[in-house]
Amino acid sequence: MQASISRKRVLRYLMALFICAVFSLATISAVSGKPFRTGNIPRSFGCGTCHVDPRGGGKRNAFGQDYERIAIPAGEEYTKGLGALDSDGDGFTNDEEFAAGTHPGNPNWKP
Ligand SMILES: [Ca+2]
């Protein structure tokens, strides 16, 4: 009888440990981003510079998609080519948008 209770306790403990581990991993993956990238661009709007969700992660906005296609393969460098693009199609280049303080991935926000 004692061994059976002890086994149940161990199983409960292991189950609680497993649930905590899963919750911790889910939390870590939700908040871990690439904040160093915001230092590689002329102006930062935080994680929302590249991501639809301003907290980061998940789907990228138009600028983030161009950053992924051009800057990441260039070694995380904001290239002249990326600056010359109009990622969000609002009529202003990414360089013009950063210089004006508007968002290069949001067509509703332009100089
Ligand atoms: Ca814009």
Side-chain angles (χ1 to χ4, degrees):
M1 191 69 176
Q2 279 290 53
S4 175
I5 291 171
S6 179
R7 185 175 295 155
K8 282 182 182 177
R9 279 189 175 172
V10 168
L11 285 175
R12 249 187 257 148
Y13 175 78
L14 289 175
M15 183 60 81
L17 195 62
F18 175 75
I19 290 170
C20 287
V22 168
F23 180 75
S24 296
L25 287 174
T27 303
I28 288 169
S29 66
V31 298
S32 67
K34 308 286 188 297
F36 67 92
R37 287 188 176 141
T38 59
N40 297 344
I41 49 182
R43 182 183 295 251
S44 175
F45 301 94
C47 296
T49 309
C50 291
H51 293 272
V52 173
D53 184 343
R55 294 173 298 174
K59 190 176 176 187
R60 293 173 195 252
N61 61 37
F63 175 76
Q65 290 172 27
D66 283 342
Y67 187 93
E68 182 178 33
R69 187 171 55 85
I70 296 169
I72 292 176
E76 300 286 352
E77 183 182 339
Y78 181 84
T79 64
K80 287 182 179 180
L82 180 55
L85 285 179
D86 174 12
S87 292
D88 59 10
D90 63 3
F92 297 91
T93 67
N94 295 330
D95 279 343
E96 290 170 327
E97 295 239 35
F98 280 123
T102 57
H103 199 297
N106 182 343
N108 297 319
W109 191 0
K110 50 191 169 187

